Amino acid sequence: MVFLNPFRKHDVSDFEGVYVPLANSQRHHSVVAAHNDRKNSLTKDMSDEKDIESPPSPENSDSAYTVEGLRREIELDLSASGHDTAYDRKSKVINKAIQDIGMGSYQWSLFILCGFGWLADNMWLQGVALTLPGLTARFGPSETHVRYTTCATFIGLCIGASFWGVASDIIGRRLAFNATLFIAGVFGLAVGGGNSWVGTCGLFAALGVGVGGNLPVDGALFLEFLPFASSGLLTLLSVWWPVGQLIASLVGWGFLPNYPDDEGWRYLDITLGGITFVMFMCRFFLFHLYESPKFLLSRGRQAEAVATVHGIAYKNKKTTWLSEDILNKIGGTAVVEEKQQLSFSEIMSRNLEKFSTQRIKPLFATRQLGLMNQPTAPSIVYRNYAITSIVGVPGSLIAYYTVNIKYIGRKGTIAASTLITGILVFCFTISSDPDFQLGFTCLEAFFQNVMYGVLYAYTPEVFPAPNRGTGTGIASCLNRIAGLCAPIVAVNAGQSNPKAPIYASGGLFLAAFVAMCFFPIETRDKQSL
């Protein structure tokens, strides 16, 4: 049934044996510990201050295993967030339920499948760059003008990021999650058959519409299924990014030096398109994705949201205490369900409070493939691509560790990595020696991966689920607009002064560092809505 209808709706009756009463449940040890700490602190305050009017609760009425105790947990969380609507309350309850279920096979499978989106993103960016010489040999555009192929790709990426980001908040995460890789796979295969330069540019643009939706949709989706204690894994998703570059580099290494210039690029793109389509098939046929419970809740589909949490518990071979009755007792009954959804004005207000366009400036980091223009043996070129790809992987691991360190967190990690990346960009102008360039390319790849990993985790964390896709889509679109400008700057400014684009990029990194120092919030130890 899952194979035949991957978009089916679910009911709690589909998952027998999953529900247990809250009093008999196994709550996550961190939740119980935090609850007891708060309770002890409150008891101490009540004994020290005689003017407190509220009498203490009965012995077990506010235990972590009672509705009253759960209500107290939610109220304390809401007092810190500053928002208190029916949606906020119920969203917090769902967070608690997913935390108590914990990490399991469902989330780890989703980590791999969402990682495919990151992999496809950088794989195709690298693939486009490797295709350019072949397009010049086959269709005749100059080495300067063929760079507009990259512009066409980034136009598609801009459209894809904004469209799929907004669409995921309207039609749901599930359809967008599957459609992005499907479109990328189909047009990736078609690129290999392009019969003109303009036509090939059009196919790359269409491919970009699919690829562009991966980062905003996949990040938002993964975050909404993660237990709070494992939220750092959203940063670790960036480990797939250099893997994509490595795959494209190795495939290019296999085809481009061994086939004529006007043929090798076709085999490269067909292979990358095939890899992308296989990743789509893994998502669509080998894994049953439940719709995001936060999205369902924001659309007033409370019963389906509860069923989704039951489905997660079923996949993880765990139990859950979540029920509609508990949601209604803490967040309000279904009679006032229309208030459960956030209005457009509330969404915009939260956007203006939490989202700053300055956050997008670090995304002006463009591909540094153009820095290696000196004639070099093909085997050395592809070897260098492979080395820089591999060096980027530890950057994601470092970011995963540092984002949860007190006094560093998301803001400290992203600011420091952006500053170092900007300094390293300027270092490229010191020497044109190939070994020097390779060394600084590796360093830059390492710290850039730290920066991107945190950036694409921090951005969805600051938006509530009802507009998370839209917010991350807009941010990703601005990223792509910067990427669209990169080849234009390289074609025009680079001809008069080859170092000018490097200075511009380095300056933007430093400006981004200053902006990051003024980020309004730190999302470490804060639950997403």
Side-chain angles (χ1 to χ4, degrees):
M1 188 65 169
V2 167
F3 178 86
L4 295 176
N5 186 8
F7 297 113
R8 66 172 295 197
K9 295 181 179 181
H10 291 280
D11 185 79
V12 292
S13 60
D14 296 335
F15 312 105
E16 295 182 1
V18 166
Y19 174 75
V20 295
L22 180 59
N24 301 329
S25 64
Q26 292 184 344
R27 303 210 61 191
H28 193 272
H29 61 86
S30 65
V31 174
V32 176
H35 180 92
N36 291 336
D37 288 344
R38 290 169 178 171
K39 182 178 177 181
N40 292 337
S41 175
L42 179 61
T43 302
K44 182 178 183 300
D45 291 343
M46 293 179 69
S47 62
D48 291 343
E49 299 181 16
K50 304 299 184 182
D51 58 343
I52 293 184
E53 298 179 0
S54 301
S57 300
E59 180 65 24
N60 294 318
S61 66
D62 63 345
S63 161
Y65 299 91
T66 65
V67 174
E68 184 60 32
L70 182 62
R71 189 195 309 277
R72 286 180 178 274
E73 294 177 29
I74 302 303
E75 289 174 348
L76 286 169
D77 289 342
L78 290 171
S79 64
S81 69
H83 299 288
D84 188 358
T85 65
Y87 169 80
D88 294 308
R89 287 176 169 269
K90 294 182 179 182
S91 177
K92 293 286 187 181
V93 173
I94 288 178
N95 283 347
K96 299 287 184 182
I98 293 177
Q99 172 74 346
D100 289 341
I101 294 171
M103 282 293 294
S105 60
Y106 184 85
Q107 285 93 346
W108 286 116
S109 298
L110 199 58
F111 175 79
I112 295 173
L113 296 175
C114 288
F116 285 168
W118 284 75
L119 187 153
D121 183 89
N122 209 21
M123 183 178 75
W124 277 109
L125 290 175
Q126 179 82 346
V128 172
L130 295 175
T131 299
L132 299 185
L135 296 180
T136 297
R138 180 66 181 86
F139 301 120
S142 67
E143 293 184 2
T144 298
H145 287 94
V146 77
R147 295 182 183 181
Y148 287 107
T149 306
T150 306
C151 290
T153 306
F154 272 91
I155 289 173
L157 292 170
C158 290
I159 296 171
S162 55
F163 174 78
W164 289 114
V166 174
S168 68
D169 284 340
I170 299 174
I171 63 176
R173 318 287 197 239
R174 189 157 56 172
L175 178 59
F177 179 75
N178 287 291
T180 51
L181 278 187
F182 174 76
I183 293 172
V186 168
F187 285 100
L189 290 167
V191 163
N195 56 12
S196 69
W197 179 48
V198 173
T200 303
C201 288
L203 291 172
F204 270 122
L207 180 151
V209 172
V211 173
N214 281 316
L215 298 189
V217 173
D218 296 357
L221 177 73
F222 188 53
L223 175 64
E224 290 166 9
F225 283 103
L226 270 181
F228 172 63
S230 303
S231 60
L233 286 174
L234 185 60
T235 300
L236 194 59
L237 266 182
S238 64
V239 76
W240 293 92
W241 214 62
V243 173
Q245 181 180 345
L246 177 63
I247 291 174
S249 300
L250 294 177
V251 173
W253 196 350
F255 284 122
L256 299 180
N258 299 312
Y259 288 87
D261 289 343
D262 60 347
E263 294 182 11
W265 67 273
R266 294 187 185 276
Y267 299 124
L268 167 66
D269 290 333
I270 290 173
T271 303
L272 298 184
I275 292 172
T276 306
F277 201 80
V278 168
M279 291 191 294
F280 156 72
M281 294 179 68
C282 291
R283 282 186 174 186
F284 196 75
F285 295 115
L286 301 183
F287 180 77
H288 182 63
L289 177 69
Y290 301 113
E291 184 56 86
S292 162
K294 300 288 186 66
F295 167 78
L296 293 171
L297 189 63
S298 70
R299 310 307 292 182
R301 295 156 63 181
Q302 178 174 290
E304 292 178 59
V306 173
T308 291
V309 176
H310 282 226
I312 297 171
Y314 183 82
K315 289 287 187 181
N316 289 354
K317 295 181 172 55
K318 297 290 183 65
T319 57
T320 182
W321 46 262
L322 185 67
S323 67
E324 282 197 83
D325 182 57
I326 288 179
L327 284 179
N328 290 334
K329 285 180 178 179
I330 295 178
T333 63
V335 175
V336 291
E337 191 172 87
E338 66 275 6
K339 294 184 179 180
Q340 180 176 307
Q341 305 181 40
L342 295 180
S343 68
F344 178 78
S345 60
E346 288 175 318
I347 289 174
M348 291 305 297
S349 175
R350 293 187 179 192
N351 261 344
L352 293 175
E353 289 176 5
K354 294 184 175 182
F355 180 65
S356 168
T357 56
Q358 297 295 329
R359 184 178 301 125
I360 307 306
K361 288 188 178 180
L363 292 170
F364 276 65
T366 55
R367 313 297 157 225
Q368 65 268 25
L369 297 176
L371 296 175
M372 305 173 68
N373 287 330
Q374 61 272 27
T376 308
S379 60
I380 300 299
V381 171
Y382 296 113
R383 182 209 66 181
N384 292 349
Y385 287 158
I387 291 173
T388 55
S389 302
I390 294 171
V391 169
V393 172
S396 299
L397 302 178
I398 294 295
Y400 171 69
Y401 174 74
T402 59
V403 293
N404 291 316
I405 297 178
K406 192 175 183 180
Y407 303 120
I408 297 179
R410 272 68 161 169
K411 290 171 61 176
T413 302
I414 192 173
S417 59
T418 302
L419 173 62
I420 296 172
T421 302
I423 294 172
L424 291 172
V425 168
F426 283 110
C427 291
F428 279 104
T429 63
I430 297 175
S431 172
S432 59
D433 178 74
D435 293 335
F436 179 91
Q437 293 279 318
L438 175 61
F440 275 95
T441 299
C442 290
L443 288 172
E444 198 268 346
F446 176 86
F447 287 103
Q448 182 177 261
N449 220 49
V450 175
M451 180 192 70
Y452 270 97
V454 182
L455 187 68
Y456 277 102
Y458 180 87
T459 304
E461 285 177 340
V462 299
F463 291 101
N467 63 314
R468 180 170 289 129
T470 301
T472 54
I474 292 173
S476 185
C477 180
L478 294 175
N479 167 23
R480 306 306 186 177
I481 290 174
L484 173 63
C485 295
I488 298 175
V489 172
V491 169
N492 295 282
Q495 291 179 338
S496 58
N497 182 1
K499 295 182 179 180
I502 300 176
Y503 290 135
S505 178
L508 287 171
F509 271 112
L510 297 182
F513 161 71
V514 174
M516 289 171 180
C517 293
F518 294 96
F519 274 180
I521 57 175
E522 169 59 67
T523 57
R524 187 183 69 86
D525 290 338
K526 292 184 179 180
Q527 295 185 8
S528 61
L529 289 175

